[in-house]
Amino acid sequence: MTYNERKNYLLYTSIAFVVGAFLYSILAIFMVLDPSIEQSSFSKVLYFIASILFGGYLIGSALSGILLFITFIKKQSKKTKILAIVFFMFTIQAIIIFGFFATLPYYVYNLFIVRRRRYIIEK
């Protein structure tokens, strides 16, 4: 990936994380304010924070998987692209699973590369 592609990846996944965190915070508010749930205030706050983080990560990792799949599929032959279309259900599952497990390490890696390059350029 080029420097600009890495910066764009960081920007897009960060925005997706914020949007997912916002959407899931709305859902978490309804769960926390539900009077039928008898939990302590501390556990409700922990549930709210966990919902925000996991919701943001879920949306961010889905977008990350899509972005990584796009860069992967561009380099493949026509046969591979056709097979990905024919077996689209497996392709979608692979995108989501790969995105979920690879987002955090790949995000941190790109963050280090972008910051190191920015430091070298500014120096």
Side-chain angles (χ1 to χ4, degrees), residues 45-106:
V45 168
L46 287 179
Y47 176 79
F48 182 73
I49 292 171
S51 297
I52 289 173
L53 293 176
F54 289 136
Y57 187 75
L58 177 69
I59 302 298
S61 65
L63 179 70
S64 174
I66 291 168
L67 292 173
L68 293 174
F69 180 73
I70 288 171
T71 57
F72 169 76
I73 204 72
K74 282 181 183 178
K75 300 173 186 174
Q76 301 303 313
S77 67
K78 277 189 179 180
K79 289 180 183 179
T80 307
K81 291 176 185 177
I82 290 171
L83 286 174
I85 292 168
V86 170
F87 297 110
F88 71 96
M89 290 303 291
F90 297 115
T91 305
I92 292 171
Q93 290 175 357
I95 290 169
I96 299 298
I97 291 170
F98 183 74
F100 188 78
F101 289 111
T103 295
L104 189 60
Y106 194 63

Side-chain angles (χ1 to χ4, degrees), residues 32 39-50:
V32 169
Q39 293 179 346
S40 67
S41 297
F42 181 71
S43 65
K44 286 184 178 183
V45 168
L46 287 179
Y47 176 79
F48 182 73
I49 292 171

